[in-house]
Amino acid sequence: MDYVNEIIGKDYFFHHSRHEKPETNIFKLHTHDAFEVYLFINGDAMINIEDRFFKLEPYDLFFIQPGRFHRVILNSGNAYERKVIRFEYSFIRNIDPEDILLGSLTRL
């Protein structure tokens, strides 16, 4: 895996990575205590969120709530690239004290 960029703060995390020749089973089903914004850049992959599966197309964007099990399934050894932002509730609460943004995203 090639890390392109990574920023880690007290209540947020940003990660941009590219896998030139990934193994197909490198990502396991997992969950976080934070919100996650997942941006698929390219590759041959699917995303599994809870009991749903989505074929990924370049620049698909997913908002994953805390506690939701998810994983990426690589269908081939083709190059895979993604960007991930994770943030704690406290991070967004500072800029959106009335929960307007999270309220609109979590009611979908």
Side-chain angles (χ1 to χ4, degrees), residues 18-90:
R18 181 175 37 246
H19 302 257
E20 292 302 327
K21 295 182 181 177
E23 295 180 30
T24 57
N25 59 352
I26 58 175
F27 300 110
K28 305 294 182 206
L29 195 62
H30 65 282
T31 186
H32 305 283
D33 292 332
F35 294 92
E36 181 172 317
V37 178
Y38 171 90
L39 175 64
F40 175 73
I41 308 270
N42 72 315
D44 179 15
M46 298 177 65
I47 191 166
N48 167 212
I49 303 173
E50 295 288 324
D51 61 346
R52 300 182 72 187
F53 293 81
F54 304 91
K55 170 79 172 112
L56 292 170
E57 299 293 334
Y59 303 102
D60 278 351
L61 183 68
F62 287 84
F63 181 76
I64 304 167
Q65 296 179 26
R68 301 283 175 135
F69 283 94
H70 60 284
R71 67 180 167 155
V72 170
I73 302 166
L74 300 177
N75 298 318
S76 71
N78 293 349
Y80 164 70
E81 187 174 0
R82 68 178 176 170
K83 292 184 182 184
V84 173
I85 300 170
R86 281 196 301 270
F87 57 91
E88 301 289 331
Y89 179 69
S90 59

